[in-house]
Amino acid sequence: MRLGALVLVPILGAVAAYFDAPARRSRWLVGAALLHLAMVAWAWGSPPATSAIGWLRFEPLGGLVLTLVSVVFVAVAFYAVGYLRREDPRGGRAFVSALLAFLASASMVSLTHHFGLLWVGMEATTLTTAPLIYDPRDRHSLDAVWKYLLVCSVGIAIALLGTFFLATAQLAATRGGGAALVLEDLVAEAPRFHPVWLRAAFVLLLVGFGTKMGLAPMHTWLPDAHGEAPSPISALLSGALLNLAFLAILRALQVVNASAHPEFARTLLIGFGLLSVAVAAVFLLGQLKYKRMLAYSSVEQVGILALGAGLSGTAAWGALFLMWCGSLAKAALFMSTGSIFIRYGSKRTAEVSGVGRVLPLTAVLLAVGLFAVSGSPPFGTFLGEIALLSGAIRTGRLGVAVAVLALQAAIFASMAAAIFGMVLGRPAAEVVSERGPEDRWLTLPPLVLLAGAALLGSYLPPALRGAFDAAARAIGGAAP
C-alpha cells in the first residue's frame, strides 16, 4: 500500500493541478513534491512491505535512486515557483501536471523489480518529459523535442527486445517455472541461463537503456534536449532522468553478475564509459552555448557511472556516490543558468559576461558548481572519484585511471574557461540597467543542492553510508 502510494500521490497531484486555478498549481507541485519526499524518508525509517506479487520492493539500490529523484524534484518544484512567475512555458496547465506525472513514473522505475514494469515506467518518463522540453522562446527546442522522442523511442524499443530475450533465457532455463522477469527469480536462476540468450539480452538492454542514459555513441539527443529545454527541466533531466536509466542498466547487471560469465558485461560498461568521457572531452572544446556545455558534462558524468559499475569493487561504490553528489551539483548548475538566461536572454557563452556584477550570487553558484561537478574537495564528488580511481588501480586497470584523469583535466579546463569567462568581464550596458535583486526562488534551490553535495563530502550519516554499502554489494561492488 505504501509503495503504491509513492506512485499514486504524484498522479493525484497532477490531476488536481490540471483542474485547479492557475494561481494554485504551484502549490500542488510543491505540496506533492514535499509529501513524496516525506514518504520516501518514512520508507527508509520503516521499510514498507513488498507488494503482494513482488513487483514493487523498497531496497537500498532503488531506494537511493528514488531518494535522489525526490530530493532533486523538490528543488526543481521550488525553483519552478520563481520560474513560472517570470516565464510562460508552453503547455499551460499541463506543465505542472507533466512534472508530477514524471515523478510518478520515476517512482515506478525506482521501486519495481519486474523488467516489464520497468520498461513501462521508462517509456512513461519519456512521454511525460517530452512536452516539457519545448521552450517557446527558442525555436531550436522543437527540433530537440523530436530528436529526444525519436532517439529515445528507438532506444526503448531496443530495450524491449532485450527484455524479450531475457524472458526467453528464463523460460528456456526454467521451462516455465518461477515468476517471469522478476529480478529476484532472474538472479536465482541466472546460472542456468544459456549464455548466448543472456549476453544478447544484456547488450540490447545496455544499448536501449544506455540511449536513455546518454551513453556515447547513443547520446545524440542529450545535448539538444538538455541544452534547449527550460532550465528547471534541464535540471530534472540531468539530476533525475539519467539516473533512472542507469538504475535500469544496473538491474540487468545484477542478473548477469549472478550468471557464470559476468565479465563480458563489465567490459562493455567500461568501454561505453570511457567512450562517453572521451566524446564529452572532445565536444566540450570550443562549445559555443553554456547549457550545451553542461549537457556534454552530463555525458561525461554518465560515462563515469558506467565505468565505475564495470570496474566493480570500490569503483562501483564510487559510481553510486558520484551519481548522488554529481546529480545534485549538475542540477544546481542548470538552475543557475536559468537565472542567467532570464537576465541576458541568450544561451551563447560569448554573449554573457560580467555575471559576477549583475547576478553575484548566481555567479558564485556557477563557479562553485564547476568545482563540485569536477570532483574537487570538499564536495562528495571528490570522495566518489577517489573510490572509483582506487578501484580501477586495485583491479589492475591503471591505464583506465590515467586516461580518465587526463580526460577529466581537459574537461575541467574547457568548462573553467567558459564559466569564468561568463562570471568575469564587463557586462553589457542594457544588462546592467536591468540590475535588481536576485530572486530567492531561483537562487535558494541550487544553493541548497550545492550545500548538500558539500555536506556529503564532509559527513556521511551512518545510515546513508550503510545504504550505499548495501547498494554497491547488490551490483558486485564493495565499500571502500
Side-chain angles (χ1 to χ4, degrees), residues 454-476:
L455 181 63
L456 288 173
S458 307
Y459 173 70
L460 189 58
L464 191 54
R465 172 61 186 254
F468 275 106
D469 293 351
R473 286 195 297 272
I475 58 172

Side-chain angles (χ1 to χ4, degrees), residues 51-109:
S51 63
I53 53 177
W55 288 15
L56 297 180
R57 186 186 298 264
F58 189 87
E59 39 72 48
L61 180 57
L64 282 176
V65 174
L66 179 62
T67 307
L68 176 60
V69 168
S70 193
V71 168
V72 171
F73 194 89
V74 167
V76 168
F78 278 100
Y79 183 91
V81 173
Y83 179 81
L84 291 174
R85 289 176 179 173
R86 296 169 175 267
E87 300 289 311
D88 184 21
R90 190 175 186 273
R93 68 172 64 200
F95 185 81
V96 169
S97 297
L99 277 172
L100 289 170
F102 166 77
L103 182 59
S105 54
S107 301
M108 183 192 294
V109 171

